[in-house]
Amino acid sequence: MAPMAVVRRSFVLLTLSMSLATAFQPIRRSITTSFTQPTSVRSTYPHPTTTTTTRFMSSDDDNTPGLPFALPSLNQIFFVWLTGVAGSRLIKLAPLAASGSASQSILINVAINVVLFAGCLTVLINSLRGIDYTALEGLDSKSLANQAGEWASSDIIPTTYKEYKVATFAGGCFWGTELHFQRIEGMMATCIGYTQGKITEPSYEQVCSGTTGHTEGLQLLYDPTICSYERLLTALFATLDPTLLNRVKNDKGTQYRHGVYTHSLEQAQSASKFVENL
């Protein structure tokens, strides 16, 4: 086997093994679906010298960016191609391997392509599978993912849950935003997901492509007797520059735009007043 062919196939096998490891990771505290909120408050000017303004937007606002259908991710395109390559090679090599007189190199090629074909097909199937919301973590793990998944699937905009209130924000990459809010006293549970956008249940790869119109968001459950909504707004705006459009620190793109997605008129009024006083 030529040295370059060995290097090329080793690289493909490494990529496949990494993708398989990702495909079989346990479900995280996230919901890959679209939160549906009645209004949002966000800054609309990209230049630091401008003032921050407020825009209220209905949940069916047609100005939400994004395509009305999901495009395949780069990973999916790559593995479709790799599945086709491995499959075509197997079709050519299978008769030789079955003849009984195949050389050792042919048998090795067959084995490699069987692994590639099966592995790539597994990755593709896993990438197309939807999220089982019933399997997501619940309040016993201080996660709101299970309940938030049920709300989103049922197109419910909750204001409270039990004795607690619900809030939704976007502040760039949702991992860091979630950790920031988890440290606030009175925070009962959090989860991450996507809000706005044109399609339901987008994948992480699709949102990262910037084509779906979603933004990475955080939904949380807090105790209003300990932590006020204004305290949450202060925590959000402490992590971002509200005059920058589609950017939070080094994260750039429409999927990283910041926003306050209110669940009630009370929250909308508080958010509007807070933004006006920035």
Side-chain angles (χ1 to χ4, degrees), residues 61-166:
D61 192 333
D62 291 332
N63 292 323
T64 300
L67 299 174
F69 53 87
L71 293 176
S73 66
L74 292 178
N75 276 345
Q76 289 174 326
I77 294 173
F78 172 73
F79 283 108
V80 165
W81 170 79
L82 202 54
T83 301
V85 170
S88 64
R89 288 177 179 172
L90 285 175
I91 292 174
K92 294 178 181 178
L93 293 172
L96 296 175
S99 65
S101 59
S103 64
Q104 185 178 7
S105 63
I106 291 178
L107 294 177
I108 292 175
N109 268 309
V110 169
I112 290 175
N113 283 284
V114 166
V115 172
L116 284 175
F117 183 83
C120 292
L121 193 61
T122 300
V123 171
L124 282 173
I125 292 173
N126 278 315
S127 71
L128 297 174
R129 289 169 56 187
I131 295 293
D132 180 9
Y133 292 112
T134 61
L136 296 177
E137 293 178 335
L139 295 180
D140 53 339
S141 301
K142 293 188 177 181
S143 172
L144 191 59
N146 187 282
Q147 189 59 49
E150 182 179 332
W151 291 332
S153 299
S154 304
D155 201 25
I156 295 175
I157 304 171
T159 56
T160 60
Y161 182 67
K162 297 183 177 179
E163 67 269 32
Y164 307 121
K165 290 189 176 183
V166 184

